């Protein structure tokens, strides 16, 4: 696949009646299709999950849901009734969900953990911009899940499993909003009551305004998603097909001022420095910090933080790399950075707040001004483990400044500007970028970006470009995606996240989707193909063939009852990457005797042939699971040689009661030499999580994760089979590699009380131990442990 072919491809609706909306408010008029004028009623209610107050009889009544996934354009089998009204300070929703074809799945779930239950998502787009929406989610018992929904390219499945195809959105569940919800199971299904204060939302400053709006319901027994307004998979945008709440007027936020003081304390344990000293704990004084959130206007929010607590309350899930050239991404979880995070979203991850590792203080302004979405962030970060305001003159301090502005153009078209600045004393890095999105003909979209970085590492200043084009046509049955992106080898984004620099990547992915008749075993089948090429940046500019070329044939399906099955055939060609093996040498042998030491030069190219398979079960009352397997001949990056690989990811979720959750995952990655069938690399990571949910706010969690990693002594397996030596670049000395084993068990427990976002009590303990042999569970050596306490309270003025 050559450069010209990729660029040539880049340059080169199902009709349905809208859902009926009624207004129960006499004299309110007949609203437009897919829109509703909900009544304003100056009433207060008790949120108890029972829609028995008189005000609910005045509320607007919405029904007529239709299926979106797996097959669009069909009426929902079970009815959903939504009631909506608003008062001066909050908007209220009541939901009656009928279930006559299966059992309602409902548990006493923790926040954002309702994916295994039946649930309803209320989508609010207060600026009616059709680009992102606030997600207010509830399960049948009122357990909450919230975040931001964004329009995204339609999912077609790919490496790693089947997944649900046809979905043209992505949800980030990390942001949290303060709202009230209660629910209950009924004879007909379930009933939920939701109140969202205007204090918790950003919205327009006009006296009378329209909000984008939709409701999405997920039924676990069938795996179907249905929406209030008909949403066609033939449309490139999910949000553009939503409805509208019209004529909202006189919304009163009042003073929006959130004060969130925090107290944290940790007591880490370590072995003594000298033999016989035993185990020591080094508990320090409690740390005080806090956050402030001020609603400057209805649509602009100022956040500030001082000495924030960003500690972990649970060990991260181990991540296994498939290609050591690609950096591992860790998502942002810290509350200060998550508030308004949608305003800092950029193509290519040019803003990545995890780079601010240990801030002394930070402030940000985010929101919307007219047609402009604005995000401005400044932070002072300390490179050391401890830092305070007395250290502001220290050279270890770094300052971050980030600006993101996006202008909404006609339709869903946008134009964006990004600027980041990292100053670390004698070194600095600045990035400027322009990006845009063009949507036309309902199914077509083109996204582009052009950026430049300017860097000084204490010597010369250098600059480098980044660019990309991403085109998609998302028809209901046929579709294609084509992209090409380039990142110069000297491009630096030290306030962002770049998976891999110095490459050009091109992808062409045609798709064909088949839909079954109602009641068919296969509800939808999607076949797609990946033609994928990756070049070193200079090889691309010279017009040569790609370093790595991939051809994948993908199969993804949704089966009746909520099953998902997928698979792939992979045919790949990888060129030797010399940058990974700069310090590799080979100890040449004759008759078992070392005779010379020569620089390692790997085989120029390998061809891989693999197959993968995945299956996801329905979410039954007490169990759900997923299995992903891959097997074949692939590259062995340890020695740059072909190897037989076997990888699997297993997931099992068991909920024996409404309050107990058990989650088990197992990751297995194995590389087997092609000649003598010995293991060159073997990593096994089982993880068990037990949770007891005493109430919606109180739970106890126990987590155990075992990480067994083995790497054999390396040899030149694709050529001479002689031992590989590693040269120390500083001293010039060589050392022969030896087999490495690491067997670590991490155990964490956490008692959590979180009645609302911002008000929390965390009390936890974590410990890491190791043993010599894998999975023997004896003769453990303790490496570290520690206790952790966090207290915070949200004051809303």
């Amino acid at each position: 696949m050559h450069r010209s072919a990729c660029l040539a491809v880049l340059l080169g609706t199902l009709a349905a009646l809208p859902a009926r909306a009624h207004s129960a408010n006499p004299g309110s008029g007949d609203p437009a299709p897919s829109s509703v004028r909900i009544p304003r009623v100056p009433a207060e209610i008790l949120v108890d999950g029972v829609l028995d107050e008189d005000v609910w009889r005045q509320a607007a009544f919405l029904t007529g849901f239709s299926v979106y996934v797996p097959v669009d354009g069909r009426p929902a089998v079970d009815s959903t009734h939504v009631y909506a009204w608003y008062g001066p300070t909050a908007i209220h929703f009541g939901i009656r969900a009928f279930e006559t074809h299966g059992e309602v799945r409902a548990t006493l779930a923790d926040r954002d953990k309702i994916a295994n239950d039946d649930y309803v998502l209320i989508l609010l787009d207060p600026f009616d911009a059709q680009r992102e929406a606030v997600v207010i989610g509830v399960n049948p018992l009122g357990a909450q899940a919230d975040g931001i929904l964004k329009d995204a390219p339609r999912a077609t499945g790919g490496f790693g499993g089947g997944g649900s195809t046809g979905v043209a959105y992505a949800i980030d569940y990390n942001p949290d909003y303060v709202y009230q919800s209660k629910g209950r199971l009924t004879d007909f299904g379930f009933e939920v009551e939701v109140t969202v204060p205007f204090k918790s939302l950003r919205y327009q400053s006009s006296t009378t305004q329209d909000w984008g709006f939709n409701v999405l319901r997920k039924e676990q027994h069938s795996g179907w998603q249905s929406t209030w307004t008909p949403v066609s998979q033939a449309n490139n945008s999910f949000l553009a097909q939503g409805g509208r709440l019209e004529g909202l007027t006189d919304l009163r936020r009042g003073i929006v001022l959130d004060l969130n003081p925090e107290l944290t304390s940790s007591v880490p344990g370590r072995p003594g420095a000298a033999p016989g000293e035993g185990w020591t704990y080094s508990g320090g004084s409690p740390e005080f910090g806090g956050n402030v959130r001020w609603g400057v206007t209805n649509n602009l929010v100022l956040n500030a933080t001082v000495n924030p607590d960003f500690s972990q309350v649970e060990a991260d899930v181990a991540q296994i790399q498939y290609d050591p050239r690609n950096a591992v991404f860790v998502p942002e979880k810290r509350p200060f950075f998550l508030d308004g995070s949608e305003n800092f979203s950029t193509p290519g991850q040019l803003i990545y707040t995890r780079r601010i590792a240990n801030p002394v203080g930070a402030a940000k302004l985010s929101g919307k001004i007219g047609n402009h979405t604005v995000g401005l962030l400044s932070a002072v970060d300390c490179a050391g483990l401890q830092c305070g305001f007395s250290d502001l003159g220290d050279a270890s301090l770094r300052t971050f400044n980030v600006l993101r502005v996006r202008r909404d153009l006609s339709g869903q078209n946008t134009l964006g500007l990004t600027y980041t600045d990292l100053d670390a004393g004698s070194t600095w890095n600045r990035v400027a970028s322009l990006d845009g999105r063009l949507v036309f003909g309902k199914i077509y979209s083109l996204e582009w970006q052009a950026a430049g970085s300017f860097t000084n590492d204490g010597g010369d200043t250098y600059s480098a470009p980044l660019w990309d084009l991403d085109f998609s046509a998302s028809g209901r049955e046929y579709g294609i995606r084509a992209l090409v992106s380039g990142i110069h080898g000297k491009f630096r984004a030290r306030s962002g996240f770049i998976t891999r620099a110095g490459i050009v990547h091109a992808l062409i992915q045609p798709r064909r989707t088949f839909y079954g008749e109602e009641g068919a075993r296969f509800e939808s089948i999607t076949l797609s193909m990946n033609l994928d090429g990756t070049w070193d940046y200079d090889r691309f500019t010279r017009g040569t063939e790609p370093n790595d070329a991939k051809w994948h044939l993908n199969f993804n399906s949704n089966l009746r009852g909520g099953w998902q099955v997928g698979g792939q055939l992979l045919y790949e060609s990888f060129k030797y990457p010399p940058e990974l093996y700069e310090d590799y040498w080979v100890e040449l042998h004759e008759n078992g005797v070392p005779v010379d030491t020569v620089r390692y030069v790997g085989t120029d190219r390998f061809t891989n042939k693999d197959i993968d398979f995945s299956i996801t079960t329905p979410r039954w009352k007490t169990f759900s699971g997923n299995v992903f397997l891959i097997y074949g001949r692939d590259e062995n990056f340890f020695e740059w040689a072909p190897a037989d690989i076997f990888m699997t990811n297993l997931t099992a979720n068991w909920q024996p009661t409404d309050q107990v959750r058990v989650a088990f995952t197992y990751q297995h990655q194995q590389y087997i030499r092609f000649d003598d069938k010995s293991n060159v690399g073997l990593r096994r990571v089982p993880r068990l999580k037990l949770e007891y949910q005493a109430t919606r706010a109180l739970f106890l969690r126990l987590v155990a994760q075992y990480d067994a990693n083995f790497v054999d002594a390396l040899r030149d397996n694709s050529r001479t089979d002689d031992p590989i030596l590693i040269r120390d670049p500083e001293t010039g000395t060589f050392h022969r590699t030896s087999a490495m084993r690491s067997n670590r068990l991490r155990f964490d427990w956490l008692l959590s009380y979180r009645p609302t976002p911002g008000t929390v009590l965390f009390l936890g303990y974590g410990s890491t131990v190791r043993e010599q042999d894998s999975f023997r569970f004896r003769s453990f050596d303790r490496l570290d442990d520690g206790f952790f306490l966090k207290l915070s309270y949200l004051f809303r003025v």
Side-chain angles (χ1 to χ4, degrees):
M1 180 173 55
H2 291 276
R3 173 182 55 176
S4 57
C6 299
L7 295 177
V9 172
L10 284 172
L11 300 175
T13 286
L14 179 69
L17 291 174
R20 189 180 178 189
H22 304 268
S23 174
N25 185 15
S28 65
D30 187 17
S34 299
S35 299
V36 63
R37 187 177 295 270
I38 67 175
R40 185 181 191 276
V41 184
E44 298 291 334
I45 62 169
L46 174 66
V47 179
D48 57 4
V50 182
L51 307 180
D52 57 355
E53 291 93 345
D54 289 340
V55 68
W56 291 111
R57 285 187 281 274
Q58 304 176 54
F61 171 68
L62 317 177
T63 189
F65 279 60
S66 59
V67 177
Y68 170 47
V69 170
V71 182
D72 58 350
R74 295 177 180 171
V77 174
D78 292 300
S79 297
T80 306
H81 295 172
V82 179
Y83 302 84
W85 60 280
Y86 70 104
T89 61
I91 189 167
H92 307 268
F93 300 97
I95 299 158
R96 286 194 174 115
F98 294 81
E99 182 55 79
T100 60
H101 295 82
E103 187 175 8
V104 174
R105 314 284 162 74
T107 61
L108 196 64
D110 190 22
R111 190 179 200 90
D112 296 333
K113 301 295 178 60
I114 66 174
N116 285 337
D117 297 336
D118 284 42
Y119 58 80
V120 173
L121 304 181
I122 300 167
L123 309 180
L124 298 174
D125 180 6
F127 296 97
D128 196 21
Q130 301 178 355
R131 290 162 177 85
E132 60 251 342
V134 174
V135 175
I136 301 295
V138 287
N139 80 350
L141 300 181
Q144 299 179 354
D146 47 3
I148 294 292
L149 180 146
K150 296 183 180 181
D151 266 3
R154 176 174 169 179
T156 59
F159 182 80
S164 182
T165 60
V167 174
Y169 63 79
I171 300 179
D172 179 2
Y173 282 107
N174 287 312
D176 290 329
Y177 300 90
V178 177
Y179 61 99
Q180 295 177 279
S181 61
K182 288 288 181 66
R184 64 191 182 99
L185 299 178
T186 65
D187 292 340
F188 59 80
F190 63 91
E191 187 172 81
V192 182
E193 194 172 9
V194 180
T195 292
V196 185
F198 294 133
K199 281 180 180 286
S200 298
L201 302 172
R202 295 178 174 91
Y203 55 89
Q204 305 163 48
S205 56
S206 57
T207 303
T208 302
Q209 52 194 276
D210 299 338
W211 289 13
F213 173 73
N214 212 337
V215 182
L216 187 152
R217 178 183 174 186
K218 177 66 176 288
E219 298 175 68
Q220 295 295 354
H221 74 87
S222 65
W224 288 10
Q225 295 182 20
S226 57
T227 55
W228 169 54
T229 62
V231 179
S232 170
Q233 294 187 23
N235 196 312
N236 198 280
S237 170
F238 178 85
L239 289 174
Q241 303 177 78
R244 188 170 283 105
L245 302 179
E246 293 186 339
L248 300 177
T249 186
D250 194 18
L251 309 184
R252 301 174 189 173
R253 252 180 138 201
I255 298 175
V256 178
L257 182 60
D258 293 348
L259 306 177
N260 193 202
E262 298 175 336
L263 178 149
T264 60
S265 180
S266 61
V267 183
R270 294 287 188 276
E277 285 191 5
W279 201 258
T280 62
Y281 289 92
S282 56
S285 301
E287 292 285 334
F288 293 92
N291 306 310
V292 177
R293 180 178 182 266
W294 174 40
V296 182
T297 66
N298 291 344
N299 50 7
L300 280 177
V301 173
L302 178 65
N303 299 75
T305 185
V306 175
N307 194 27
D309 161 57
F310 294 147
S311 55
Q312 294 270 32
V313 295
E314 177 185 329
D316 288 327
V317 178
Q319 297 191 52
I320 292 180
Q321 281 185 293
Y322 295 102
D323 188 332
R325 295 170 292 181
N326 296 334
V328 175
F329 179 81
V330 180
E332 182 62 85
K333 296 290 186 182
R334 302 172 293 181
F336 170 79
F337 292 110
L338 290 175
D339 186 44
S341 59
E342 67 275 12
N343 299 303
F344 294 90
S345 176
T346 70
Q349 294 282 151
L350 293 183
I351 298 175
Y352 180 52
T353 52
R354 291 283 299 226
R355 297 295 184 205
I356 307 172
N358 188 22
V360 179
K364 67 178 180 180
L365 181 70
S366 60
K368 197 148 188 172
I369 304 175
N371 291 327
H372 295 83
T373 300
V374 178
L376 176 63
L377 168 67
S378 293
V380 176
D381 189 49
C382 180
L385 293 178
Q386 294 189 0
C387 189
F389 282 104
S390 60
D391 304 306
L392 289 181
D394 196 295
S396 64
L397 290 179
R398 307 179 299 168
T399 59
F400 286 82
N401 292 289
V402 169
L403 173 66
R404 171 63 175 168
V405 179
R406 189 191 69 196
R407 178 174 175 79
D408 296 339
L409 305 176
S410 60
Q412 290 189 286
N413 304 325
T414 61
L415 183 65
L417 167 69
T418 304
Y419 177 77
T420 68
D421 186 337
L422 168 60
D423 193 322
S426 61
T427 67
W428 49 263
N429 171 249
R430 299 181 181 108
V431 175
S433 169
L434 282 174
D435 63 85
R437 184 184 188 211
L438 177 65
V439 180
F440 53 98
K442 291 189 177 180
I443 69 170
Y444 304 104
S445 70
L446 177 66
E447 298 184 18
W448 59 270
Q449 181 178 38
S453 71
F454 308 87
T455 306
N456 186 298
D457 287 328
D460 295 334
T461 300
Y462 56 91
S463 60
L466 172 150
W467 47 269
D468 66 67
L469 286 170
D470 189 344
F471 169 81
S472 68
S474 299
R476 185 174 187 268
E477 297 180 353
Y478 296 93
I480 189 169
R481 185 183 183 196
L483 66 86
V484 59
S485 62
I487 307 175
H488 194 278
K490 291 188 175 181
F491 185 88
R492 302 288 183 268
R494 291 178 178 160
S495 300
F497 180 86
I498 301 297
T499 303
R500 182 181 169 191
I503 62 170
V504 173
H505 175 232
L507 168 70
I508 301 173
Q509 185 184 61
R511 167 188 58 82
R512 173 68 163 100
T513 300
F514 303 87
Y515 298 94
E517 298 293 333
E518 190 167 355
R521 180 177 299 277
F522 283 88
E523 296 176 326
S524 69
I525 297 174
T526 297
L527 300 178
S528 61
M529 182 187 302
N530 292 6
L531 299 174
D532 188 303
T534 302
W535 292 257
D536 288 342
Y537 198 93
D538 58 345
R539 285 173 58 86
F540 178 83
T541 58
R542 295 196 305 267
T544 60
E545 77 282 354
N547 297 62
D548 304 335
K550 304 175 185 178
W551 178 82
H552 296 172
L553 181 61
N554 314 313
F555 165 83
N556 295 278
S557 65
N558 291 279
L559 281 68
R560 186 178 64 240
W563 291 87
Q564 297 173 5
V565 177
Q568 279 188 306
L569 294 174
L570 300 89
Y571 183 82
E572 304 173 336
S573 174
F574 277 64
K575 184 174 176 58
Y576 172 64
E579 68 276 7
L580 289 182
Y581 306 97
E582 291 180 352
D583 297 317
Y584 277 47
W585 293 67
V586 179
E587 184 182 80
L588 296 180
H589 285 225
E590 289 185 4
N591 299 321
V593 178
V595 295
D596 198 3
T597 299
V598 298
R599 183 176 291 277
Y600 176 82
V601 179
T603 301
D604 182 63
R605 186 174 290 275
F606 291 126
T607 299
N608 305 326
K609 298 176 182 178
D610 306 292
I611 185 170
D612 75 47
F613 171 78
S614 71
I615 183 168
T616 300
T617 73
R619 291 187 170 102
W620 293 304
K621 182 178 180 180
T622 61
F623 178 82
S624 64
N626 171 267
V627 178
F628 166 67
L629 302 170
I630 181 169
Y631 177 78
R633 178 65 57 87
D634 215 301
E635 69 278 358
N636 154 22
F637 277 105
F638 300 102
E639 301 170 329
W640 190 249
D644 295 327
I645 66 165
F646 175 71
M647 300 181 189
T648 184
N649 290 329
L650 307 177
T651 302
N653 299 297
W654 181 45
Q655 296 177 269
T657 73
D658 290 347
Q659 294 175 277
V660 176
R661 296 187 293 272
V662 182
F664 174 77
T665 61
Y666 176 68
Q667 299 182 76
H668 183 106
Q669 184 182 54
Q670 185 173 10
Y671 293 86
I672 306 167
R673 292 188 178 100
F674 68 95
D675 50 5
D676 62 4
K677 302 305 178 183
S678 61
N679 287 326
V680 62
L682 174 62
R683 189 174 183 190
R684 294 164 289 172
V685 185
R687 179 183 176 92
L688 181 66
K689 180 190 292 187
L690 306 176
E691 291 182 317
Y692 174 68
Q693 196 80 35
T695 67
R696 275 174 51 182
L698 178 66
F699 77 84
L700 175 67
R701 178 173 65 209
L702 307 174
V703 179
Q705 176 176 285
Y706 196 108
D707 192 341
N709 193 17
F710 167 77
V711 179
D712 198 12
L714 305 182
R715 57 185 194 246
D716 187 10
N717 191 232
S718 66
R719 302 182 307 145
T720 67
D721 223 29
D722 288 327
I724 287 178
L725 307 178
I726 306 297
R727 180 179 180 272
D728 187 323
E730 295 183 1
T731 64
T733 58
F734 298 89
H735 69 272
R736 182 183 294 187
T737 62
S738 58
M740 183 277 295
R741 296 180 184 272
S742 173
N743 303 295
R744 297 193 175 199
L745 174 62
R746 174 73 186 183
F747 176 78
D748 293 274
W749 65 258
L750 175 71
L751 178 67
S752 170
Y753 178 68
R754 182 171 53 174
T756 60
T759 298
V760 300
L761 164 63
F762 291 148
L763 177 62
Y765 171 81
S767 177
T768 304
V769 297
R770 68 181 176 186
E771 61 176 344
Q772 183 64 33
D773 298 319
S774 305
F775 301 105
R776 295 294 188 270
F777 297 100
R778 62 191 181 200
S779 301
F780 280 114
D781 295 323
R782 187 167 42 153
L783 297 178
D784 60 62
D785 71 350
F787 295 88
F788 170 74
L789 171 69
K790 174 177 178 177
L791 291 169
S792 71
Y793 189 82
L794 176 65
F795 294 94
R796 303 207 91 174
V797 177

